[in-house]
Amino acid sequence: DAKTTQPPSMDCAEGRAANLPCNHSTISGNEYVYWYRQIHSQGPQYIIHGLKNNETNEMASLIITEDRKSSTLILPHATLRDTAVYYCITNSRHDKIIFGKGTRLHILP
Amino acid sequence: NAGVTQTPKFRVLKTGQSMTLLCAQDMNHEYMYWYRQDPGMGLRLIHYSVGEGTTAKGEVPDGYNVSRLKKQNFLLGLESAAPSQTSVYFCASSQGQGTTTGELFFGEGSRLTVL
């Protein structure tokens, strides 16, 4: 089961695109990449997931490299409400879900 | 749209007391999970269930017990609370995809303080 590596914190100016990287170099061929975020002390919220292809929904875009060893979550127009901790995890067995410490994203006004 | 509901949201216990946290989901999900989150840390899996009547240990199961008598409910019990169990507890559920989790839906958390 893959483990992910994320920078502990990032800053982004309001209105700009926020690009959050994630390394998952040991990901297995059938494992998905999932992104969640946790605003303040609320429960984590699902954002997006993908396997090989790039994905987009109303919240964000997910870019996965061709070798699948890394991915980038893109928030196209960051707002102050996007300030949160962002977790990148690989979809794996029920007993092997590893959230890690995530990336604390600060949106600067 | 209740989703995943946790009760209680706040509780203060004395060392040695017992209590039960209740998680209820109305999405007919097969899989349910209990996590704990300590300050500045990520979420750690305590126990999980892949269906009614089943439970299994996660990463940090010691000091906790769980039961899944009904599909929609997952109970987390502390038989003899210790200060080390002071934490925020999150319940989650998912429909699952075979042996993998799928999208997790989380509750709002239960803050437990053990004095």
Side-chain angles (χ1 to χ4, degrees), chain A residues 30 32 34 36 38 41-46 49 87 89 91-101 104, chain B residues 31 33 35 37 40-43 45 48 50 57 90 96-104 106-108 111:
Chain A
N30 61 349
Y32 285 77
Y34 275 72
Y36 292 82
Q38 187 173 25
S41 298
Q42 299 176 16
Q45 174 192 23
Y46 164 83
H49 74 282
Y87 298 99
I89 69 170
N91 182 319
S92 57
R93 286 168 35 193
H94 305 288
D95 59 339
K96 298 294 184 183
I97 306 166
I98 301 173
F99 271 81
K101 296 185 180 181
R104 186 171 296 276
Chain B
Y31 308 108
Y33 314 82
Y35 290 89
Q37 185 173 37
M41 303 291 290
L43 285 77
L45 183 64
Y48 65 98
V50 299
K57 295 180 180 180
F90 289 100
Q97 300 167 355
T99 59
T100 56
T101 64
E103 175 187 344
L104 298 177
F106 284 85
E108 289 302 307
R111 294 182 175 276

Side-chain angles (χ1 to χ4, degrees), chain B residues 25-45:
Chain B
Q25 53 96 3
D26 62 1
M27 296 171 282
N28 201 37
H29 284 167
E30 289 293 331
Y31 308 108
M32 297 187 74
Y33 314 82
W34 275 108
Y35 290 89
R36 62 176 288 173
Q37 185 173 37
D38 300 306
M41 303 291 290
L43 285 77
R44 292 185 293 171
L45 183 64

Side-chain angles (χ1 to χ4, degrees), chain B residues 2-108:
Chain B
V4 178
T5 303
Q6 295 181 225
T7 53
K9 290 183 171 47
F10 302 92
R11 185 73 187 270
V12 178
L13 288 178
K14 294 181 179 179
T15 297
Q17 287 185 318
S18 63
M19 76 157 296
T20 301
L21 297 176
L22 169 64
C23 177
Q25 53 96 3
D26 62 1
M27 296 171 282
N28 201 37
H29 284 167
E30 289 293 331
Y31 308 108
M32 297 187 74
Y33 314 82
W34 275 108
Y35 290 89
R36 62 176 288 173
Q37 185 173 37
D38 300 306
M41 303 291 290
L43 285 77
R44 292 185 293 171
L45 183 64
I46 305 172
H47 284 279
Y48 65 98
S49 168
V50 299
E52 181 178 317
T54 75
T55 63
K57 295 180 180 180
E59 179 186 2
V60 289
D62 293 342
Y64 304 95
N65 57 76
V66 288
S67 64
R68 183 106 181 263
L69 299 179
K70 294 183 179 180
K71 186 177 183 179
Q72 65 268 32
N73 296 335
F74 196 28
L75 279 65
L76 178 71
L78 286 71
E79 290 185 347
S80 180
S84 61
Q85 294 178 304
T86 293
S87 189
V88 180
Y89 292 85
F90 289 100
C91 176
S93 71
S94 74
Q95 183 52 40
Q97 300 167 355
T99 59
T100 56
T101 64
E103 175 187 344
L104 298 177
F105 293 80
F106 284 85
E108 289 302 307

Side-chain angles (χ1 to χ4, degrees), chain A residues 41-75:
Chain A
S41 298
Q42 299 176 16
Q45 174 192 23
Y46 164 83
I47 301 173
I48 197 168
H49 74 282
L51 183 63
K52 295 180 180 179
N53 300 321
N54 299 337
E55 302 288 344
T56 296
N57 63 20
E58 65 277 6
M59 291 181 66
S61 295
L62 174 61
I63 308 297
I64 302 174
T65 58
E66 190 170 345
D67 63 9
R68 300 207 333 117
K69 293 185 177 181
S70 66
S71 61
T72 301
L73 178 74
I74 301 172
L75 307 177

